[in-house]
């Protein structure tokens, strides 16, 4: 993939840029993402691959939110954040960051035009668990079997997904990560908003 990408860029530098070279670059990028996702999934299935430690979830969510704010603005999406500080969980920093990024990327990608994306992180009073809720406007979300969203390579609607990039494995990876962190995940739909709710045990 690196060689194909480099050769294509060289062709463009030599003045041969066209819709074909642009398409080649886009496809190599998508294939690279697919390979990286598959490698990550394979690593997660290996025993002892991820070492858990005390991680500041609040900082990770804040950082990810800042990173996606420009994307939301560019797509004319309302982006709301509510992040409680000093929430620590048992996880691994890089994979926890990947988990948050997957859900934010999914939210902006499938949010209705001019819709709303929100992220809410707080500690539940009744069980002291960290609750991370990522929501987006999704008017077509009624009467859908959300459990299938976590199947690898599942795409909800062919005509709908032809307009979206991706391979349908991000949410599958996210679910596996949540389980690796000994957490729980569920999907809810209310008032044209779909919400992915992740629950993780907190540490003092």
């Amino acid at each position: 993939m690196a060689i194909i990408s480099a050769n294509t860029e060289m062709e463009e530098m030599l003045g041969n840029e066209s819709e074909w070279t642009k398409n080649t670059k886009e496809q190599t990028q998508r294939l690279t993402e697919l390979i990286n996702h598959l490698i990550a999934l394979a690593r997660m299935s290996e025993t002892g691959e991820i070492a858990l430690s005390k991680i500041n979830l609040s900082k990770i969510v804040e950082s990810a939110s800042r990173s996606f704010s420009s994307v939301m603005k560019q797509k004319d999406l309302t982006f709301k954040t509510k992040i409680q500080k000093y929430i620590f969980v048992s996880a691994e920093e890089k994979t926890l960051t990947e988990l948050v990024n997957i859900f934010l990327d999914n939210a902006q990608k499938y949010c209705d035009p001019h819709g709303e994306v929100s992220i809410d992180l707080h500690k539940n009073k009744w069980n002291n668990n960290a609750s991370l809720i990522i929501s987006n406007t999704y008017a077509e979300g009624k009467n859908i079997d959300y459990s299938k969203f976590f199947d690898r390579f599942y795409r909800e609607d062919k005509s709908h997904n032809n307009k979206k990039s991706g391979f349908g494995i991000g949410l599958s990876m996210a679910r596996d990560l949540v389980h690796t962190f000994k957490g729980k995940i569920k999907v809810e739909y209310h008032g044209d908003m779909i919400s992915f709710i992740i629950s993780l045990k907190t540490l003092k």
Side-chain angles (χ1 to χ4, degrees), residues 34-44:
L34 173 61
I35 292 169
N36 289 336
H37 280 313
L38 291 174
I39 290 173
L41 284 169
R43 286 177 175 171
M44 282 191 294

Side-chain angles (χ1 to χ4, degrees), residues 3-167:
I3 293 172
I4 294 173
S5 180
N7 288 346
T8 304
E9 290 180 1
M10 182 60 68
E11 283 291 322
E12 292 183 339
M13 290 175 63
L14 294 173
N16 298 320
E17 182 177 354
S18 67
E19 62 177 300
W20 308 112
T21 59
K22 291 180 179 179
N23 182 262
T24 299
K25 287 170 64 178
E26 290 175 358
Q27 294 305 317
T28 53
Q29 182 178 355
R30 295 183 74 231
L31 286 172
T32 299
E33 291 176 358
L34 173 61
I35 292 169
N36 289 336
H37 280 313
L38 291 174
I39 290 173
L41 284 169
R43 286 177 175 171
M44 282 191 294
S45 66
E46 298 175 7
T47 303
E49 179 67 23
I50 298 178
L52 305 183
S53 61
K54 184 178 180 179
I55 303 296
N56 190 331
L57 177 57
S58 299
K59 282 190 175 182
I60 288 177
V61 174
E62 288 172 353
S63 177
S65 298
R66 286 194 298 268
S67 298
F68 274 89
S69 60
S70 59
V71 177
M72 306 294 182
K73 185 176 181 179
Q74 184 180 24
K75 296 185 69 173
D76 194 27
L77 300 176
T78 300
F79 187 35
K80 297 181 179 180
T81 63
K82 185 179 180 181
I83 305 169
Q84 183 177 337
K85 293 183 178 296
Y86 307 116
I87 294 181
F88 294 87
V89 297
S90 178
E92 193 276 329
E93 186 172 5
K94 289 184 179 180
T95 48
L96 184 58
T97 300
E98 177 68 11
L99 173 68
V100 177
N101 285 335
I102 286 173
F103 281 108
L104 280 174
D105 183 57
N106 184 78
Q108 64 84 19
K109 185 181 296 180
Y110 292 103
C111 185
D112 291 343
H114 313 296
E116 176 184 315
V117 175
S118 67
I119 184 165
D120 178 6
L121 173 66
H122 63 274
K123 188 181 293 186
N124 285 324
K125 295 181 179 180
W126 63 276
N127 64 5
N128 216 35
N129 284 350
S131 182
L132 176 63
I133 307 171
I134 299 94
S135 308
N136 64 273
T137 309
Y138 187 43
E140 298 179 358
K142 297 178 181 178
N143 303 318
I144 289 178
D145 183 1
Y146 297 114
S147 64
K148 292 183 178 180
F149 279 23
F150 300 104
D151 293 344
R152 294 183 187 181
F153 306 108
Y154 172 74
R155 307 305 299 272
E156 182 266 321
D157 178 273
K158 289 184 178 180
S159 62
H160 171 73
N161 283 299
N162 280 338
K163 302 176 183 179
K164 311 294 181 181
S165 62
F167 298 90

